[in-house]
């Protein structure tokens, strides 16, 4: 069984618990100045629009690129990530984390697409940008719709900025941790949690998800399902 398939089997029993009424992606994450597109329209744009500008991003060890795309009518930014590495034995650590060894290590853009499609099944895709696979500049990778944000969770912590509604914020964080546990994402660090101007949490970069270990992460948060609720916040 594939690494992704095994993780999905662990997810199935909790699908009903996490399911919440869905919202269109553009309604959940985009301010009024953003184009209002359906998920299918966003996917088509990401796959086919022409790249008119390329910039390097200042965060992330996988060297994602920020691309400006245009189809002649709509111009919008996207993030392209082509990491696809495998190691029999990997030494991990740094960033204040303890050193560890992982066998059969994988760091792949493919997991961004897999995590997004799973979030759609759970009606949690309002907490992630749309991800699709695309070939660009001789590389195949994931490309995601750029979401305007005011900061990431690392910046919020450093500046001690408090959310306007702590209860709503905590519910979003519980959802994120439960989802991260279901896909066994071992790299849900603070820079991978973005905050939109209306204080919505956006999860990015799942390239180190779907690990081989069978134990669930964030187990203490699994007992807080009743606090998450079934309505979007």
């Amino acid at each position: 069984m594939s690494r992704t398939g095994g993780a999905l089997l662990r997810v199935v029993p909790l699908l009903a618990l996490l399911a919440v009424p869905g919202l269109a992606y553009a309604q959940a994450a985009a301010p009024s100045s953003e184009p209002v597109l359906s998920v299918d329209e966003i996917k088509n744009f990401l796959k086919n629009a022409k790249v008119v500008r390329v910039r390097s991003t200042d965060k992330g060890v996988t060297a994602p690129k920020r691309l400006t795309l245009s189809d002649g009518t709509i111009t919008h930014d996207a993030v392209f990530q082509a990491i696809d590495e495998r190691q029999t034995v990997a030494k991990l650590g740094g960033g204040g984390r303890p050193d560890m060894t992982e066998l059969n290590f994988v760091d792949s853009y493919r997991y961004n697409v897999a995590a997004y499609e799973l979030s759609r099944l759970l009606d949690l895709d309002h907490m992630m940008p749309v991800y699709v696979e695309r070939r660009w500049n001789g590389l195949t990778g994931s490309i995601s719709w750029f979401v305007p944000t005011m900061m990431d969770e690392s910046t919020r912590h450093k500046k001690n900025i408090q959310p306007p509604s702590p209860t709503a914020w905590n519910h979003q964080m519980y959802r994120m941790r439960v989802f991260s546990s279901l896909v066994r994402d071992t790299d849900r660090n603070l820079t991978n949690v973005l905050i939109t101007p209306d204080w919505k949490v956006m999860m990015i970069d799942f390239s180190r998800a779907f690990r081989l270990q069978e134990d669930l992460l964030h187990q203490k948060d699994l007992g807080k399902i009743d606090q998450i609720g079934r309505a979007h916040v």
Side-chain angles (χ1 to χ4, degrees), residues 5-204:
L8 287 176
L9 285 179
R10 299 198 298 274
V11 166
V12 170
L14 291 178
L15 289 180
L17 291 176
L18 272 180
V20 290
L23 286 178
Y25 169 81
Q27 292 174 324
S32 58
S33 59
E34 290 286 287
V36 179
L37 304 175
S38 69
V39 170
D40 287 341
E41 288 172 331
I42 291 175
K43 285 185 173 184
N44 182 66
F45 179 85
L46 290 172
K47 290 178 180 179
N48 299 303
K50 182 180 179 181
V51 177
V52 297
R53 185 183 180 192
V54 180
R55 285 162 284 174
S56 296
T57 57
D58 58 358
K59 293 184 179 181
V61 298
T62 57
K65 297 291 185 182
R66 181 169 170 178
L67 310 180
T68 300
L69 308 179
S70 180
D71 63 1
T73 301
I74 296 172
T75 299
H76 194 84
D77 282 3
V79 178
F80 180 81
Q81 186 180 38
I83 187 74
D84 195 19
E85 296 181 355
R86 288 161 175 77
Q87 299 180 44
T88 302
V89 180
K91 300 289 186 180
L92 306 175
R97 301 179 183 180
D99 292 337
M100 62 175 290
T101 299
E102 183 173 337
L103 302 179
N104 299 313
F105 172 78
V106 179
D107 192 352
S108 177
Y109 75 86
R110 303 172 193 271
Y111 297 153
N112 290 327
V113 180
Y116 173 71
E117 291 301 330
L118 181 57
S119 77
R120 294 192 70 189
L121 293 176
L122 294 168
D123 282 332
L124 291 176
D125 50 318
H126 62 287
M127 295 184 69
M128 286 184 66
V130 175
Y131 277 93
V132 297
E133 185 178 75
R134 175 170 177 166
R135 188 163 180 81
W136 168 74
N137 199 31
L139 299 171
T140 301
S142 65
I143 188 168
S144 60
W145 183 262
F146 183 81
V147 178
T149 58
M150 58 182 179
M151 62 184 140
D152 60 27
E153 183 66 343
S154 175
T155 300
R156 188 184 76 82
H157 273 261
K158 289 177 182 177
K159 295 185 177 182
N160 194 29
I161 301 172
Q162 299 304 310
S165 173
T167 298
W169 177 258
N170 288 337
H171 286 179
Q172 293 186 86
M173 297 303 286
Y174 290 148
R175 289 192 184 102
M176 179 189 72
R177 291 175 192 137
V178 172
F179 182 75
S180 296
S181 181
L182 293 176
V183 299
R184 209 175 199 291
D185 177 24
T186 58
D187 194 32
R188 188 85 340 239
N189 63 70
L190 299 183
T191 62
N192 288 341
V193 182
L194 306 183
I195 306 169
T196 69
D198 55 352
W199 284 91
K200 303 297 183 185
V201 170
M202 298 298 294
M203 306 179 290
I204 61 168

Side-chain angles (χ1 to χ4, degrees), residues 206-225:
F206 284 84
S207 68
R208 293 189 181 183
F210 301 103
R211 315 319 294 166
L212 290 176
Q213 299 89 341
E214 295 184 355
D215 57 305
L216 290 172
L217 303 172
H218 311 298
Q219 293 191 34
K220 65 179 182 179
D221 289 313
L222 300 183
K224 298 175 181 177
I225 290 288

